[in-house]
Amino acid sequence: MHEGERVTRATECGTALRVWVARPLPAGARTAERVAGLGHRPLLAPVLDLALSGAPAPEGPFDALVLTSASAVPALAGSPLAALPAYCVGARTASAARAAGLGAVHEAGGDALALADLIGRTLPRGARLLHAAGRERKDEPGDTLAARGYRLTVWVAYAARPLPALPEPVAEALGNDSLDAALHYSRRSAATALGLARAAGREEAFRRVAHHCLSADVAAPLVAAGILSHVVAVRPDEDALLAGLPSAGPRPMPSDTPMPSDSDAQASPALRPGRERC
């Protein structure tokens, strides 16, 4: 450990951490339950509020749906579009699509390019695709699909609105330095959390928190702000993200259960010097 480095509970093994789950509801509630199941103390306080946009769906016909977030699924449930094959970015979105009774559900490997590849293997070029998306979205998989000859229409099915102020429980926890870690699932959520902490006069405390990010893209606003205390999951899924939290204590494990691999989470190049993995 480098001289002068601040040691927090987030660097120690066997200690229950206070973990801020900034993810929007309802997914944030499921994540908080998983954090509690790991022996930590979740603080569920989303910084984005998700709601259906109310925009009517474009007129088809369409050959398939493209889903890059489970947040779009409620807009499709019960509609004629629900009968279309649904191509989902990953397991969580696919699970939500199945639960809502959507048609044949196809699951990609967890990122937009994997989704484009899945569509490329299973649908003919020229297929008409409807991407049910959020108001703020990335260029992929749309750019890759268009380049490969697919006809993609984007429907803004939901929107995420930033909260006007930092949630009071988070402001209080940052104020008394009792927050150990934060989980960030989207670039916008991470940027919003930083902005709200800054506006509340809690930026310095925010910088001392161990920020666990689903991907390098999610971590980008923190990197740009010079926040060195962050970890990036090696895969863009929740299992890999939560594997980066230190263990809250020894738990019995069946003899035939594989031991957790160090590859489940990795330090980003900007991780603060000297931080050790448990």
Side-chain angles (χ1 to χ4, degrees), residues 18-270:
R18 187 64 164 156
V19 180
W20 177 15
V21 180
R23 190 180 196 185
L25 298 172
R30 296 192 297 269
T31 297
E33 289 179 0
R34 293 196 63 184
V35 170
L38 294 172
H40 299 300
R41 296 180 296 122
L43 173 55
L44 177 58
V47 295
L48 298 175
D49 181 26
L50 292 182
L52 298 182
S53 68
E59 293 186 6
F62 298 104
D63 299 305
L65 298 170
V66 177
L67 300 178
T68 50
S69 171
S71 299
V73 171
L76 296 162
S79 77
L81 294 170
L84 293 172
Y87 287 80
C88 302
V89 69
R92 187 173 66 87
T93 303
S95 176
R98 293 187 185 102
L102 269 62
V105 174
H106 304 270
E107 179 182 327
D111 61 46
L113 291 179
L115 178 56
D117 288 342
L118 172 63
I119 291 170
R121 292 193 304 269
T122 54
L123 291 176
R125 304 296 170 93
R128 297 158 299 186
L129 308 175
L130 178 62
H131 183 189
R135 184 164 293 138
E136 293 80 23
R137 59 188 178 278
K138 301 174 186 176
D139 294 333
E140 294 294 350
D143 284 358
T144 296
L145 291 170
R148 294 177 180 177
Y150 292 94
R151 292 181 286 172
L152 183 74
T153 298
V154 176
W155 171 35
V156 177
Y158 68 95
R161 294 183 289 267
L163 267 62
L166 189 69
E168 183 55 37
V170 178
E172 181 179 348
L174 289 173
N176 59 32
D177 230 17
S178 64
L179 194 62
D180 302 303
L183 301 179
H184 302 291
Y185 282 74
S186 74
R187 182 179 185 137
R188 189 174 184 218
S189 179
T192 300
L194 171 60
L196 292 178
R198 183 175 288 156
R202 298 287 193 267
E203 182 174 358
E204 289 306 311
F206 182 90
R207 288 175 174 272
R208 291 193 292 270
V209 172
H211 296 278
H212 293 253
C213 302
L214 192 66
S215 69
D217 180 71
V218 172
L222 306 181
V223 174
I227 295 176
L228 303 182
S229 180
H230 69 275
V231 177
V232 175
V234 74
R235 298 185 312 276
D237 62 53
E238 187 169 70
D239 288 343
L241 180 66
L242 296 182
L245 291 173
S247 171
R251 288 176 293 171
M253 186 177 297
S255 59
D256 59 347
T257 300
M259 293 299 291
S261 166
D262 279 350
S263 65
D264 282 342
Q266 62 184 10
S268 77

